Amino acid sequence: MKIVPDEKLDIQNVLIAWSDELKLDIILTTGGTGFAERDVTPEATRAVIEKDAIGLSVAMLTESLKITPLAMLGRPVCGIRKRSLIINLPGSKKGAQENFLVIKPWLNHAVNHLRENRAAVNATHDKMQTQGACHHSSDHVSSSEQQSSNLADVKKVARRPRKSPFPMLGFDEACKIVMEHAKCLPKETVSIGESLRRILAEDVVAKVSVPPFRASIKDGYAVISSDGPGERQVVGSSITGGYPPIDIKPGCVVRLTTGAMVPDGADAVVQVEDTEIVVEADEGKEELTVKIIPAAKPGQDIRAVGSDIAAGDVILKEGTKLGPSEIGLLASVGINQVQVYKVPVVAIMSTGNELCEPYEVPPQGHIFDSNRTTLKMALKERDIPCLDMGIAKDSVEDLYSRLNEAISKADVIITTGGVSMGETDLLKHCLTFQLKGHIHFGRVLLKPGKPTTFATVFSGASKKLVFSLPGNPVSSIVCFNLFVLPAIRKMMGYPQSELTKIKAKLTSDVSLDQRPEFQRAQLVWSEDGIPAAHTTGNQISCRLLSMCQANALLQLPPKSDDINKLHANDVVDAFIIGEL
């Protein structure tokens, strides 16, 4: 709360500071909305807002006119700056209260829009459609506030939601939301020795030509092609890494090794296999005369300057993934440093009172945590730095502490467990209330992985991506491949960050589920060119054995009234997750 003089600039400065620096959700002003000369609050507000919220102003004026005709003299301005909603209320206590009560039922919904909390927005829309838009606003406030209260107080176990408040999103829509929020990270300069699997952030131009001089393709002799065949005097040698004689004259040749400089005057190379020794000296240590057997053609077995790469050529494009050959190419033109996109730091955390480390003796009722190990290895396999945040207990305090630390250190946070409907599933609560995050979706029409949750949380000016995956081991790694890995690849600068998708042929009948399903399979190339898909046994989401040896996820449609099973030799889409 702050008292500000009736000065337009003073009011503007406070509004800007509260929205830009404090990042307040709602800013209420009272007074200064009349006809007096000093009433400049609407003008100050209009000067700083980026979007009008005229509906709120109209609603307040409409309801106020039902109480008093003097309301027509009010000039409230409502609008949005950044993520803050600014609302002008009248100066009188009675008028301010009456106007505020008009808009109060919809402020939570407005804030959810500003926070991009799509799940909460959709839940409100769904509820209105179910109940009917004609319901009285006070009823809406009552149920909305009751639900918010229940979510906020996790100790009220009996009042926890019995149905998820998050709408069920389709797989494609969920992927689209994730990719909208995954942004390419800034550039950095690294040595080529540290650039393996990195993505170029700019075109690379050759500084020199390759080869930088005329080079011999064969071991043999530099000749003047117009001399033709016959005996020639050997006047010197050009060895790789050395300097050749300055010039070569008719009737003479120079001995060469592969890759050596071709001397000036020579226009061809004759390989040693097409020559005979005629005169030698010093017991064979020196050649004096050789016989050129076939006639040479101009340019024969000579690599011209820049025949591979010319100085100034673009040799690698932005977006290129650097592998051994690409890095070798950089070295071949004398480039030792390149600009690449940064790699995101990923933090991993498991949740659950029942979990213990693989090296511990598990107490009764406990199980070993395999999710962190699986995910860490998946990241290590791709040279992505990982922070291990350990196992969080099923308490708001421990979850908040570990998540808060992870958000301060990492670009992407992956949690497993705690996202279903149990009384100890507190991840969504913690993201929403403790961390003030925006949950973009909390359920996906998918098997395995229905409770998969995606949120964004701000740490200062940086937006962090939070993927809260199911606790079942298979669900966790499958959803990592489907949602997290493409997002990480986009942040790393991959032009095509999605998983590679190909066609595969079933080798056995497969029963379909009510939900679209991703079954684990091993693809083996067959004679007809379409890989054969061998499913990896029981596909239950707790059976990590079904991921072993799997190199693909088969995308299966949901069953329908017409189709409840796919048959051997049916062709389906397969997402590649391993080596073929």
Side-chain angles (χ1 to χ4, degrees):
M1 182 179 293
K2 187 178 182 69
I3 299 175
V4 184
D6 290 324
E7 297 291 340
K8 181 179 176 182
L9 187 58
D10 289 345
I11 298 171
Q12 287 178 210
N13 289 339
V14 172
L15 293 177
I16 291 171
W18 285 6
S19 58
D20 295 14
E21 297 173 16
L22 298 182
K23 297 180 173 58
L24 300 181
D25 291 324
I26 299 173
I27 301 171
L28 301 176
T29 70
T30 60
T33 60
F35 280 20
E37 184 178 351
R38 61 187 178 85
D39 290 333
V40 295
T41 302
E43 286 68 35
T45 302
R46 192 173 286 110
V48 301
I49 61 174
E50 298 164 342
K51 297 178 182 178
D52 286 322
I54 193 170
L56 293 173
S57 303
V58 170
M60 290 191 295
L61 287 172
T62 300
E63 293 301 316
S64 296
L65 285 168
K66 295 177 182 179
I67 300 171
T68 172
L70 291 177
M72 69 179 69
L73 302 183
R75 301 184 303 114
V77 170
C78 300
I80 300 163
R81 179 179 177 86
K82 307 298 182 188
R83 292 177 180 268
S84 297
L85 177 59
I86 302 173
I87 300 169
N88 294 164
L89 298 174
S92 72
K93 181 178 179 181
K94 180 175 182 295
Q97 288 176 339
E98 290 171 350
N99 277 255
F100 181 70
L101 289 175
V102 171
I103 60 174
K104 179 185 175 184
W106 310 104
L107 293 183
N108 280 338
H109 190 54
V111 170
N112 284 328
H113 270 292
L114 291 174
R115 289 181 178 178
E116 298 180 7
N117 193 340
R118 189 180 300 226
V121 170
N122 290 342
T124 299
H125 290 168
D126 292 344
K127 188 167 186 177
M128 290 181 67
Q129 291 173 359
T130 301
Q131 294 180 344
C134 61
H135 278 204
H136 196 276
S137 62
S138 63
D139 295 335
H140 177 81
V141 178
S142 174
S143 60
S144 175
E145 290 182 342
Q146 179 66 47
Q147 182 187 48
S148 176
S149 174
N150 293 346
L151 286 172
D153 190 352
V154 294
K155 296 179 181 179
K156 296 179 180 179
V157 177
R159 296 185 182 179
R160 72 184 190 274
R162 301 289 163 168
K163 294 183 179 179
S164 174
F166 298 93
M168 187 81 76
L169 266 63
F171 171 68
D172 290 339
E173 184 180 358
C175 289
K176 182 180 178 182
I177 291 171
V178 169
M179 300 310 279
E180 284 174 353
H181 289 276
K183 305 297 183 184
C184 202
L185 294 180
K187 305 173 183 179
E188 65 177 348
T189 300
V190 300
S191 69
I192 60 173
E194 298 173 334
S195 67
L196 186 64
R197 298 191 185 95
R198 302 293 292 274
I199 306 298
L200 277 177
E202 63 181 9
D203 292 350
V204 177
V205 176
K207 298 191 295 184
V208 298
S209 295
V210 179
F213 49 81
R214 292 194 308 153
S216 175
I217 296 175
K218 302 281 184 67
D219 293 319
Y221 299 87
V223 304
I224 299 172
S225 60
S226 59
D227 282 352
E231 295 183 2
R232 301 285 180 267
Q233 181 183 0
V234 180
V235 295
S237 64
S238 178
I239 300 174
T240 307
Y243 295 94
I246 295 175
D247 201 355
I248 187 172
K249 298 178 180 179
C252 300
V253 297
V254 169
R255 189 171 69 253
L256 299 171
T257 58
T258 300
M261 295 178 66
V262 176
D264 293 339
D267 66 348
V269 171
V270 176
Q271 64 180 1
V272 68
E273 293 91 337
D274 292 334
T275 67
E276 292 178 355
I277 184 69
V278 176
V279 179
E280 63 177 47
D282 196 13
E283 297 182 348
K285 295 180 179 179
E286 185 178 356
E287 296 178 349
L288 299 180
T289 305
V290 295
K291 182 179 180 179
I292 304 299
I293 298 173
K297 298 178 181 179
Q300 174 179 303
D301 286 337
I302 293 177
R303 293 170 63 208
V305 174
S307 56
D308 291 347
I309 300 170
D313 282 353
V314 175
I315 57 172
L316 293 174
K317 291 279 192 181
E318 177 189 359
T320 299
K321 183 180 179 181
L322 296 175
S325 298
E326 289 77 15
I327 297 171
L329 178 61
L330 294 171
S332 76
V333 294
I335 293 176
N336 186 51
Q337 290 186 323
V338 287
Q339 276 216 326
V340 295
Y341 291 105
K342 287 186 175 181
V343 178
V345 176
V346 181
I348 297 177
M349 182 180 81
S350 295
T351 71
N353 294 336
E354 76 281 10
L355 298 179
C356 66
E357 299 287 1
Y359 53 80
E360 295 178 330
V361 177
Q364 188 173 6
H366 283 59
I367 58 173
F368 293 119
D369 175 26
S370 62
N371 289 346
R372 273 168 41 247
T373 299
T374 305
L375 293 172
K376 281 193 292 185
M377 294 303 105
L379 293 168
K380 185 176 182 179
E381 185 178 34
R382 296 165 176 86
D383 290 335
I384 298 169
C386 174
L387 300 176
D388 187 345
M389 305 307 297
I391 301 171
K393 296 298 182 183
D394 290 323
S395 72
V396 172
E397 294 76 19
D398 198 23
L399 286 172
Y400 172 74
S401 175
R402 292 174 189 266
L403 279 173
N404 199 42
E405 182 183 358
I407 288 165
S408 70
K409 295 179 178 179
D411 303 291
V412 177
I413 298 89
I414 307 173
T415 68
T416 61
V419 288
S420 192
M421 296 293 293
E423 62 183 85
T424 58
D425 291 324
L426 304 174
L427 246 301
K428 291 171 181 173
H429 165 90
C430 191
L431 287 170
T432 302
F433 292 97
Q434 271 67 43
L435 294 167
K436 307 300 182 185
H438 307 149
I439 295 181
H440 300 283
F441 60 79
R443 288 194 302 164
V444 184
L445 189 60
L446 180 70
K447 182 183 179 182
K450 185 174 74 171
T452 297
T453 298
F454 172 65
T456 52
V457 178
F458 278 90
S459 176
S462 300
K463 182 167 70 173
K464 309 301 180 76
L465 307 187
V466 182
F467 295 89
S468 293
L469 309 180
N472 277 324
V474 174
S475 302
S476 170
I477 188 61
V478 166
C479 292
F480 168 84
N481 280 284
L482 295 177
F483 297 108
V484 186
L485 185 56
I488 290 175
R489 285 158 57 100
K490 184 177 178 183
M491 296 171 78
M492 291 174 63
Y494 277 69
Q496 299 296 327
S497 54
E498 293 79 7
L499 297 179
T500 300
K501 184 165 67 173
I502 64 174
K503 296 294 183 181
K505 184 171 54 178
L506 297 175
T507 57
S508 60
D509 293 353
V510 175
S511 296
L512 299 178
D513 190 80
Q514 298 283 357
R515 288 174 280 161
E517 182 176 6
F518 284 90
Q519 287 207 1
R520 285 70 71 197
Q522 185 177 42
L523 301 189
V524 179
W525 290 102
S526 57
E527 294 180 357
D528 61 7
I530 300 178
H534 302 269
T535 60
T536 54
N538 190 333
Q539 297 286 304
I540 189 169
S541 58
C542 61
R543 184 176 180 266
L544 196 53
L545 273 172
S546 68
M547 283 299 301
C548 294
Q549 303 305 309
N551 56 13
L553 299 173
L554 304 182
Q555 188 174 24
L556 306 180
K559 69 179 179 180
S560 64
D561 293 338
D562 299 324
I563 301 174
N564 60 14
K565 178 183 289 188
L566 295 180
H567 302 283
N569 294 321
D570 283 349
V571 175
V572 298
D573 287 331
F575 287 89
I576 303 304
I577 60 170
E579 295 183 2
L580 293 179

